[in-house]
PDB file of all heavy atoms in Angstrom:
ATOM      1  N   ASN Z 101       5.898  45.193 238.873  1.00  0.00           N
ATOM      2  CA  ASN Z 101       5.830  46.656 238.974  1.00  0.00           C
ATOM      3  C   ASN Z 101       6.611  47.397 237.894  1.00  0.00           C
ATOM      4  O   ASN Z 101       6.722  48.618 237.939  1.00  0.00           O
ATOM      5  CB  ASN Z 101       6.297  47.099 240.359  1.00  0.00           C
ATOM      6  CG  ASN Z 101       5.356  46.607 241.435  1.00  0.00           C
ATOM      7  OD1 ASN Z 101       4.145  46.590 241.259  1.00  0.00           O
ATOM      8  ND2 ASN Z 101       5.923  46.175 242.554  1.00  0.00           N
ATOM      9  N   LEU Z 102       7.170  46.668 236.940  1.00  0.00           N
ATOM     10  CA  LEU Z 102       7.896  47.329 235.864  1.00  0.00           C
ATOM     11  C   LEU Z 102       6.939  48.039 234.917  1.00  0.00           C
ATOM     12  O   LEU Z 102       5.808  47.602 234.715  1.00  0.00           O
ATOM     13  CB  LEU Z 102       8.725  46.317 235.066  1.00  0.00           C
ATOM     14  CG  LEU Z 102       9.888  45.668 235.796  1.00  0.00           C
ATOM     15  CD1 LEU Z 102      10.553  44.635 234.893  1.00  0.00           C
ATOM     16  CD2 LEU Z 102      10.899  46.712 236.233  1.00  0.00           C
ATOM     17  N   ALA Z 103       7.426  49.110 234.315  1.00  0.00           N
ATOM     18  CA  ALA Z 103       6.622  49.842 233.334  1.00  0.00           C
ATOM     19  C   ALA Z 103       6.450  48.997 232.076  1.00  0.00           C
ATOM     20  O   ALA Z 103       7.327  48.209 231.713  1.00  0.00           O
ATOM     21  CB  ALA Z 103       7.301  51.163 232.993  1.00  0.00           C
ATOM     22  N   ASP Z 104       5.315  49.167 231.430  1.00  0.00           N
ATOM     23  CA  ASP Z 104       5.011  48.419 230.213  1.00  0.00           C
ATOM     24  C   ASP Z 104       5.592  49.164 229.013  1.00  0.00           C
ATOM     25  O   ASP Z 104       4.925  49.917 228.335  1.00  0.00           O
ATOM     26  CB  ASP Z 104       3.497  48.272 230.077  1.00  0.00           C
ATOM     27  CG  ASP Z 104       3.105  47.431 228.879  1.00  0.00           C
ATOM     28  OD1 ASP Z 104       3.979  46.782 228.292  1.00  0.00           O
ATOM     29  OD2 ASP Z 104       1.913  47.425 228.537  1.00  0.00           O
ATOM     30  N   ASP Z 105       6.883  48.969 228.772  1.00  0.00           N
ATOM     31  CA  ASP Z 105       7.522  49.621 227.635  1.00  0.00           C
ATOM     32  C   ASP Z 105       8.549  48.681 227.012  1.00  0.00           C
ATOM     33  O   ASP Z 105       8.784  47.582 227.494  1.00  0.00           O
ATOM     34  CB  ASP Z 105       8.181  50.941 228.045  1.00  0.00           C
ATOM     35  CG  ASP Z 105       9.278  50.758 229.079  1.00  0.00           C
ATOM     36  OD1 ASP Z 105       9.841  49.656 229.182  1.00  0.00           O
ATOM     37  OD2 ASP Z 105       9.580  51.720 229.791  1.00  0.00           O
ATOM     38  N   ASP Z 106       9.139  49.104 225.934  1.00  0.00           N
ATOM     39  CA  ASP Z 106      10.098  48.267 225.218  1.00  0.00           C
ATOM     40  C   ASP Z 106      11.548  48.628 225.536  1.00  0.00           C
ATOM     41  O   ASP Z 106      12.454  48.282 224.800  1.00  0.00           O
ATOM     42  CB  ASP Z 106       9.866  48.386 223.710  1.00  0.00           C
ATOM     43  CG  ASP Z 106       8.570  47.752 223.281  1.00  0.00           C
ATOM     44  OD1 ASP Z 106       8.045  46.910 224.011  1.00  0.00           O
ATOM     45  OD2 ASP Z 106       8.093  48.098 222.192  1.00  0.00           O
ATOM     46  N   SER Z 107      11.779  49.332 226.614  1.00  0.00           N
ATOM     47  CA  SER Z 107      13.129  49.806 226.895  1.00  0.00           C
ATOM     48  C   SER Z 107      13.965  48.849 227.743  1.00  0.00           C
ATOM     49  O   SER Z 107      15.131  49.094 227.966  1.00  0.00           O
ATOM     50  CB  SER Z 107      13.065  51.163 227.600  1.00  0.00           C
ATOM     51  OG  SER Z 107      12.434  51.017 228.857  1.00  0.00           O
ATOM     52  N   SER Z 108      13.390  47.794 228.226  1.00  0.00           N
ATOM     53  CA  SER Z 108      14.111  46.893 229.123  1.00  0.00           C
ATOM     54  C   SER Z 108      14.716  45.732 228.360  1.00  0.00           C
ATOM     55  O   SER Z 108      14.098  44.691 228.175  1.00  0.00           O
ATOM     56  CB  SER Z 108      13.167  46.373 230.212  1.00  0.00           C
ATOM     57  OG  SER Z 108      12.670  47.437 230.967  1.00  0.00           O
ATOM     58  N   ALA Z 109      15.945  45.914 227.927  1.00  0.00           N
ATOM     59  CA  ALA Z 109      16.624  44.864 227.167  1.00  0.00           C
ATOM     60  C   ALA Z 109      16.803  43.607 228.008  1.00  0.00           C
ATOM     61  O   ALA Z 109      16.697  42.490 227.511  1.00  0.00           O
ATOM     62  CB  ALA Z 109      17.971  45.364 226.669  1.00  0.00           C
ATOM     63  N   TRP Z 110      17.050  43.761 229.307  1.00  0.00           N
ATOM     64  CA  TRP Z 110      17.262  42.584 230.160  1.00  0.00           C
ATOM     65  C   TRP Z 110      15.993  41.757 230.279  1.00  0.00           C
ATOM     66  O   TRP Z 110      16.061  40.525 230.368  1.00  0.00           O
ATOM     67  CB  TRP Z 110      17.814  42.966 231.524  1.00  0.00           C
ATOM     68  CG  TRP Z 110      16.828  43.616 232.457  1.00  0.00           C
ATOM     69  CD1 TRP Z 110      16.566  44.938 232.584  1.00  0.00           C
ATOM     70  CD2 TRP Z 110      15.983  42.942 233.391  1.00  0.00           C
ATOM     71  NE1 TRP Z 110      15.593  45.151 233.536  1.00  0.00           N
ATOM     72  CE2 TRP Z 110      15.224  43.936 234.054  1.00  0.00           C
ATOM     73  CE3 TRP Z 110      15.781  41.611 233.746  1.00  0.00           C
ATOM     74  CZ2 TRP Z 110      14.285  43.637 235.042  1.00  0.00           C
ATOM     75  CZ3 TRP Z 110      14.844  41.312 234.727  1.00  0.00           C
ATOM     76  CH2 TRP Z 110      14.115  42.317 235.370  1.00  0.00           C
ATOM     77  N   VAL Z 111      14.820  42.410 230.260  1.00  0.00           N
ATOM     78  CA  VAL Z 111      13.559  41.662 230.309  1.00  0.00           C
ATOM     79  C   VAL Z 111      13.391  40.875 229.014  1.00  0.00           C
ATOM     80  O   VAL Z 111      13.034  39.694 229.023  1.00  0.00           O
ATOM     81  CB  VAL Z 111      12.352  42.601 230.548  1.00  0.00           C
ATOM     82  CG1 VAL Z 111      11.044  41.823 230.450  1.00  0.00           C
ATOM     83  CG2 VAL Z 111      12.458  43.291 231.895  1.00  0.00           C
ATOM     84  N   PHE Z 112      13.690  41.506 227.891  1.00  0.00           N
ATOM     85  CA  PHE Z 112      13.606  40.820 226.603  1.00  0.00           C
ATOM     86  C   PHE Z 112      14.528  39.602 226.580  1.00  0.00           C
ATOM     87  O   PHE Z 112      14.124  38.507 226.199  1.00  0.00           O
ATOM     88  CB  PHE Z 112      13.965  41.779 225.460  1.00  0.00           C
ATOM     89  CG  PHE Z 112      13.816  41.164 224.101  1.00  0.00           C
ATOM     90  CD1 PHE Z 112      12.595  41.181 223.450  1.00  0.00           C
ATOM     91  CD2 PHE Z 112      14.893  40.549 223.476  1.00  0.00           C
ATOM     92  CE1 PHE Z 112      12.446  40.598 222.198  1.00  0.00           C
ATOM     93  CE2 PHE Z 112      14.763  39.964 222.232  1.00  0.00           C
ATOM     94  CZ  PHE Z 112      13.530  39.991 221.587  1.00  0.00           C
ATOM     95  N   ASP Z 113      15.766  39.790 227.003  1.00  0.00           N
ATOM     96  CA  ASP Z 113      16.721  38.672 227.040  1.00  0.00           C
ATOM     97  C   ASP Z 113      16.247  37.572 227.983  1.00  0.00           C
ATOM     98  O   ASP Z 113      16.369  36.392 227.679  1.00  0.00           O
ATOM     99  CB  ASP Z 113      18.112  39.153 227.471  1.00  0.00           C
ATOM    100  CG  ASP Z 113      18.795  39.995 226.412  1.00  0.00           C
ATOM    101  OD1 ASP Z 113      18.364  39.945 225.240  1.00  0.00           O
ATOM    102  OD2 ASP Z 113      19.748  40.716 226.758  1.00  0.00           O
ATOM    103  N   PHE Z 114      15.714  37.952 229.135  1.00  0.00           N
ATOM    104  CA  PHE Z 114      15.231  36.985 230.114  1.00  0.00           C
ATOM    105  C   PHE Z 114      14.133  36.109 229.517  1.00  0.00           C
ATOM    106  O   PHE Z 114      14.143  34.889 229.660  1.00  0.00           O
ATOM    107  CB  PHE Z 114      14.699  37.722 231.351  1.00  0.00           C
ATOM    108  CG  PHE Z 114      14.216  36.805 232.441  1.00  0.00           C
ATOM    109  CD1 PHE Z 114      15.081  36.396 233.438  1.00  0.00           C
ATOM    110  CD2 PHE Z 114      12.908  36.362 232.484  1.00  0.00           C
ATOM    111  CE1 PHE Z 114      14.652  35.556 234.455  1.00  0.00           C
ATOM    112  CE2 PHE Z 114      12.472  35.518 233.495  1.00  0.00           C
ATOM    113  CZ  PHE Z 114      13.346  35.117 234.480  1.00  0.00           C
ATOM    114  N   VAL Z 115      13.206  36.744 228.823  1.00  0.00           N
ATOM    115  CA  VAL Z 115      12.053  36.015 228.279  1.00  0.00           C
ATOM    116  C   VAL Z 115      12.437  35.175 227.067  1.00  0.00           C
ATOM    117  O   VAL Z 115      11.902  34.085 226.865  1.00  0.00           O
ATOM    118  CB  VAL Z 115      10.922  37.004 227.906  1.00  0.00           C
ATOM    119  CG1 VAL Z 115       9.803  36.311 227.162  1.00  0.00           C
ATOM    120  CG2 VAL Z 115      10.393  37.672 229.165  1.00  0.00           C
ATOM    121  N   HIS Z 116      13.376  35.632 226.275  1.00  0.00           N
ATOM    122  CA  HIS Z 116      13.678  34.963 225.012  1.00  0.00           C
ATOM    123  C   HIS Z 116      14.895  34.043 225.055  1.00  0.00           C
ATOM    124  O   HIS Z 116      15.287  33.489 224.042  1.00  0.00           O
ATOM    125  CB  HIS Z 116      13.815  35.998 223.896  1.00  0.00           C
ATOM    126  CG  HIS Z 116      12.519  36.659 223.594  1.00  0.00           C
ATOM    127  ND1 HIS Z 116      12.118  37.813 224.229  1.00  0.00           N
ATOM    128  CD2 HIS Z 116      11.512  36.314 222.772  1.00  0.00           C
ATOM    129  CE1 HIS Z 116      10.922  38.158 223.795  1.00  0.00           C
ATOM    130  NE2 HIS Z 116      10.522  37.262 222.915  1.00  0.00           N
ATOM    131  N   THR Z 117      15.493  33.877 226.219  1.00  0.00           N
ATOM    132  CA  THR Z 117      16.618  32.960 226.350  1.00  0.00           C
ATOM    133  C   THR Z 117      16.113  31.641 226.909  1.00  0.00           C
ATOM    134  O   THR Z 117      15.502  31.615 227.972  1.00  0.00           O
ATOM    135  CB  THR Z 117      17.695  33.543 227.292  1.00  0.00           C
ATOM    136  OG1 THR Z 117      18.126  34.788 226.764  1.00  0.00           O
ATOM    137  CG2 THR Z 117      18.869  32.594 227.428  1.00  0.00           C
ATOM    138  N   GLU Z 118      16.361  30.571 226.191  1.00  0.00           N
ATOM    139  CA  GLU Z 118      15.931  29.244 226.640  1.00  0.00           C
ATOM    140  C   GLU Z 118      16.944  28.686 227.608  1.00  0.00           C
ATOM    141  O   GLU Z 118      18.144  28.703 227.349  1.00  0.00           O
ATOM    142  CB  GLU Z 118      15.781  28.299 225.445  1.00  0.00           C
ATOM    143  CG  GLU Z 118      15.253  26.927 225.789  1.00  0.00           C
ATOM    144  CD  GLU Z 118      13.832  26.930 226.338  1.00  0.00           C
ATOM    145  OE1 GLU Z 118      13.031  27.781 225.919  1.00  0.00           O
ATOM    146  OE2 GLU Z 118      13.535  26.093 227.200  1.00  0.00           O
ATOM    147  N   MET Z 119      16.473  28.206 228.729  1.00  0.00           N
ATOM    148  CA  MET Z 119      17.342  27.581 229.717  1.00  0.00           C
ATOM    149  C   MET Z 119      17.504  26.115 229.366  1.00  0.00           C
ATOM    150  O   MET Z 119      16.529  25.406 229.148  1.00  0.00           O
ATOM    151  CB  MET Z 119      16.749  27.713 231.117  1.00  0.00           C
ATOM    152  CG  MET Z 119      16.712  29.135 231.638  1.00  0.00           C
ATOM    153  SD  MET Z 119      18.331  29.886 231.817  1.00  0.00           S
ATOM    154  CE  MET Z 119      19.046  28.858 233.066  1.00  0.00           C
ATOM    155  N   LEU Z 120      18.732  25.668 229.301  1.00  0.00           N
ATOM    156  CA  LEU Z 120      19.025  24.280 228.952  1.00  0.00           C
ATOM    157  C   LEU Z 120      19.687  23.570 230.123  1.00  0.00           C
ATOM    158  O   LEU Z 120      20.354  24.197 230.945  1.00  0.00           O
ATOM    159  CB  LEU Z 120      19.946  24.231 227.732  1.00  0.00           C
ATOM    160  CG  LEU Z 120      19.450  24.926 226.473  1.00  0.00           C
ATOM    161  CD1 LEU Z 120      20.519  24.876 225.398  1.00  0.00           C
ATOM    162  CD2 LEU Z 120      18.161  24.310 225.978  1.00  0.00           C
ATOM    163  N   VAL Z 121      19.488  22.270 230.183  1.00  0.00           N
ATOM    164  CA  VAL Z 121      20.151  21.437 231.172  1.00  0.00           C
ATOM    165  C   VAL Z 121      21.130  20.563 230.400  1.00  0.00           C
ATOM    166  O   VAL Z 121      20.713  19.764 229.564  1.00  0.00           O
ATOM    167  CB  VAL Z 121      19.148  20.542 231.933  1.00  0.00           C
ATOM    168  CG1 VAL Z 121      19.874  19.732 233.000  1.00  0.00           C
ATOM    169  CG2 VAL Z 121      18.039  21.360 232.552  1.00  0.00           C
ATOM    170  N   ASN Z 122      22.404  20.738 230.655  1.00  0.00           N
ATOM    171  CA  ASN Z 122      23.429  19.999 229.898  1.00  0.00           C
ATOM    172  C   ASN Z 122      23.220  20.117 228.395  1.00  0.00           C
ATOM    173  O   ASN Z 122      23.370  19.152 227.647  1.00  0.00           O
ATOM    174  CB  ASN Z 122      23.442  18.527 230.309  1.00  0.00           C
ATOM    175  CG  ASN Z 122      24.253  18.285 231.551  1.00  0.00           C
ATOM    176  OD1 ASN Z 122      24.892  19.191 232.076  1.00  0.00           O
ATOM    177  ND2 ASN Z 122      24.231  17.067 232.026  1.00  0.00           N
ATOM    178  N   GLY Z 123      22.822  21.287 227.947  1.00  0.00           N
ATOM    179  CA  GLY Z 123      22.637  21.526 226.520  1.00  0.00           C
ATOM    180  C   GLY Z 123      21.333  20.986 225.949  1.00  0.00           C
ATOM    181  O   GLY Z 123      21.127  21.025 224.745  1.00  0.00           O
ATOM    182  N   GLU Z 124      20.451  20.478 226.786  1.00  0.00           N
ATOM    183  CA  GLU Z 124      19.196  19.915 226.301  1.00  0.00           C
ATOM    184  C   GLU Z 124      18.003  20.698 226.821  1.00  0.00           C
ATOM    185  O   GLU Z 124      18.047  21.289 227.899  1.00  0.00           O
ATOM    186  CB  GLU Z 124      19.037  18.460 226.772  1.00  0.00           C
ATOM    187  CG  GLU Z 124      19.950  17.467 226.117  1.00  0.00           C
ATOM    188  CD  GLU Z 124      19.580  16.047 226.531  1.00  0.00           C
ATOM    189  OE1 GLU Z 124      18.530  15.570 226.082  1.00  0.00           O
ATOM    190  OE2 GLU Z 124      20.341  15.460 227.308  1.00  0.00           O
TER     191      GLU Z 124
END
Side-chain angles (χ1 to χ4, degrees):
N101 295 321
L102 293 177
D104 184 12
D105 61 23
D106 291 339
S107 64
S108 299
W110 73 270
V111 174
F112 184 86
D113 289 343
F114 182 91
V115 172
H116 292 90
T117 301
E118 184 64 33
M119 293 298 296
L120 303 176
V121 183
N122 277 355
E124 289 187 71

